[in-house]
Amino acid sequence: MRVKLVQRFRSPSARLSCQHTALYDIKRRPSSLKSSDGFRGMAGSTQRGASTLVLALFIVVVLVTATVGLIFGHKIGYQQGFHSMQNETQQALINSTEASKELDKLRLSNKIAMTQAATSKQELAISLANIKELRENQKELLVENSQLAQLNEAYAEIVSDNGGMPLQVLGAKIKPLPENAFEYGFDIGMLSSDGKAKRLTPTLTLLNDNSLVEVPLDPASYTIEGINRIRGRFTMPAGFKPLQVKLNLQAGGQTVEQLYDWSLGASVDSMPLSLLDLPEVDESPIEP
């Protein structure tokens, strides 16, 4: 800094005084300058300290906010995870209970199936035993039938040699059936002297006081060589009440006519309700 001195007309004492004052100002002004620079430095230091403090506070606030956010986030996540895990645990328990029930059902079904299998095995063993017994009985019956056939052939030869057996009725029956139907049965015997089979033609007729009805037979003729069985069924004409049954037989030049009272067609106990419930025609021999 330059100080410009202006010379004026003054008195010597005033000049000295001015000079002294000027010199004092010159000496003092540097110190004042120094003081101003120091204040500015202190002000700058204060501003820098305040900025640093604000920055530190901001960082602290950010850290605190982040920490609080993390804590709340952790807490919320923990709660959600806990509830989710609790729900999954409950669902797992429900699934486990249902699985246990299904397992119990499967065990029960398996037990029932094993019982049924054991029962089926027993029934199969019984059935196999019965089949074996039936086969043995059938084998015995075949042997007996063969023996009887041989015996019948022997008897037939003896009878034929002695003139044969004349045509005759060995047994007769007529029984009522449902729906105004009847079943007839006749056992016929004949053996010619030449030992050959003959053609048999039967005729069945229903008689009352005023009229007669011929029953159609199916088949209409038979081959007889020993014993033959005539079986069949017929439906009684509406309003017709027979009193007698006439059976006419023709075979090998022989004719036989036999009359029976209608008592042969007497009612039978425990008769089925329909013809459809009836078994096939009985082929067993007629008992006298």
Side-chain angles (χ1 to χ4, degrees):
M1 179 182 290
R2 294 181 181 181
V3 178
K4 186 177 181 181
L5 298 177
V6 180
Q7 294 181 358
R8 294 180 180 179
F9 294 100
R10 296 176 182 175
S11 60
S13 59
R15 185 179 296 176
L16 292 172
S17 177
C18 291
Q19 291 177 356
H20 180 73
T21 302
L23 292 173
Y24 177 76
D25 293 334
I26 292 171
K27 292 179 181 180
R28 187 180 177 184
R29 191 170 293 175
S31 63
S32 63
L33 292 175
K34 292 179 181 181
S35 299
S36 177
D37 293 336
F39 178 75
R40 291 178 180 176
M42 290 177 64
S45 299
T46 302
Q47 290 178 355
R48 285 193 298 272
S51 299
T52 303
L53 181 61
V54 170
L55 180 60
L57 289 175
F58 177 74
I59 293 172
V60 170
V61 169
V62 171
L63 291 176
V64 171
T65 303
T67 303
V68 172
L70 289 175
I71 292 173
F72 276 104
H74 177 71
K75 185 176 181 180
I76 293 172
Y78 174 77
Q79 290 179 352
Q80 291 180 351
F82 176 76
H83 288 301
S84 178
M85 185 177 294
Q86 189 175 13
N87 293 331
E88 291 179 357
T89 303
Q90 292 178 354
Q91 187 64 34
L93 290 174
I94 294 172
N95 294 335
S96 178
T97 303
E98 293 179 354
S100 299
K101 292 180 180 178
E102 292 294 331
L103 182 60
D104 293 336
K105 290 181 180 179
L106 290 175
R107 287 176 179 173
L108 180 60
S109 300
N110 186 31
K111 186 176 181 180
I112 294 173
M114 291 180 66
T115 303
Q116 292 177 349
T119 304
S120 299
K121 288 181 179 179
Q122 293 177 356
E123 293 178 352
L124 178 61
I126 294 172
S127 299
L128 292 176
N130 292 334
I131 291 173
K132 183 179 179 181
E133 184 178 359
L134 289 173
R135 287 178 177 174
E136 292 176 354
N137 293 336
Q138 184 180 12
K139 185 177 180 180
E140 292 177 358
L141 289 175
L142 290 175
V143 173
E144 292 179 359
N145 289 334
S146 298
Q147 293 174 352
L148 289 175
Q150 290 177 351
L151 183 60
N152 289 334
E153 289 178 0
Y155 285 155
E157 290 179 1
I158 294 173
V159 172
S160 297
D161 292 340
N162 293 326
M165 181 177 66
L167 180 64
Q168 57 184 308
V169 180
L170 302 177
K173 71 174 182 179
I174 295 179
K175 66 178 182 179
L177 300 176
E179 303 173 7
N180 200 29
F182 292 85
E183 181 176 300
Y184 59 85
F186 301 98
D187 290 344
I188 311 300
M190 178 183 175
L191 187 62
S192 63
S193 58
D194 57 4
K196 296 181 180 180
K198 303 299 180 179
R199 182 178 179 183
L200 172 65
T201 304
T203 303
L204 183 63
T205 307
L206 305 178
L207 306 172
N208 62 14
D209 292 336
N210 300 320
S211 59
L212 57 87
V213 174
E214 184 174 340
V215 177
L217 302 181
D218 186 21
S221 61
Y222 299 82
T223 300
I224 185 169
E225 184 182 6
I227 297 176
N228 207 333
R229 294 178 177 85
I230 301 173
R231 300 289 187 271
R233 292 171 180 171
F234 68 93
T235 301
M236 184 70 69
F240 185 82
K241 294 182 179 181
L243 297 177
Q244 291 181 324
V245 178
K246 182 176 72 171
L247 177 63
N248 184 275
L249 302 173
Q250 293 181 358
Q254 302 181 36
T255 301
V256 173
E257 186 175 280
Q258 186 73 43
L259 285 174
Y260 301 96
D261 291 335
W262 184 246
S263 60
L264 290 173
S267 62
V268 178
D269 296 334
S270 302
M271 186 169 59
L273 297 177
S274 174
L275 288 173
L276 298 176
D277 299 327
L278 291 174
E280 297 295 330
V281 177
D282 188 8
E283 296 289 344
S284 60
I286 298 173
E287 297 179 359

